[in-house]
Amino acid sequence: LVEVRRIAVLVERHGERFIGRVFTPGEVADCGGRAESLAARWAAKEAVAKALGTGIGAMSWQEIEVLRGETGCPSVQLHGRAASLAAERGLAHWALSLAHDGGLALAFVVAT
């Protein structure tokens, strides 16, 4: 769960430096500059890192990628250290739900 305004302020203050450090080009394209969508992806990245049992410190933000699938549903794609950690833990399937309302963005993830 993350406050949308928190992410909007980071974008306002740090612009492309912040966006490029946290989000992949595909995520940026999917979000179309909408703070709500960026915040939901931030929440998803945190949820995935927690499901991996590590938090973000063990990997970079961009190693967890949240994109829309062909049907528009969000999907998780792992890269680098995040993918290695998932393989070590036997986590191959990810279900992800994103929502935003009332100034908050939420992500829920289940990994098996």
Side-chain angles (χ1 to χ4, degrees):
L1 181 68
V2 65
E3 186 178 13
V4 172
R5 182 75 188 136
R6 176 179 168 213
I7 302 306
V9 166
L10 288 168
V11 171
E12 289 169 14
R13 284 188 188 154
H14 305 289
E16 289 302 317
R17 192 171 114 231
F18 167 73
I19 290 172
R21 190 178 123 249
V22 176
F23 303 101
T24 67
E27 290 171 322
V28 173
D30 272 358
C31 291
R34 294 180 310 275
E36 299 88 356
S37 296
L38 291 171
R41 279 159 179 75
W42 174 287
K45 289 170 185 261
E46 286 186 332
V48 168
K50 289 174 184 174
L52 289 170
T54 62
I56 288 294
M59 67 207 76
S60 77
W61 288 99
Q62 290 196 355
E63 289 178 330
I64 301 169
E65 188 172 30
V66 178
L67 297 172
R68 283 186 287 174
E70 292 178 13
T71 63
C73 295
S75 66
V76 174
Q77 294 179 10
L78 302 179
H79 310 283
R81 182 76 178 127
S84 297
L85 286 168
E88 288 170 17
R89 288 161 172 76
L91 301 174
H93 304 284
W94 295 83
L96 174 63
S97 179
L98 304 176
H100 49 79
D101 188 32
L104 298 172
L106 170 76
F108 186 81
V109 65
V110 176
T112 58

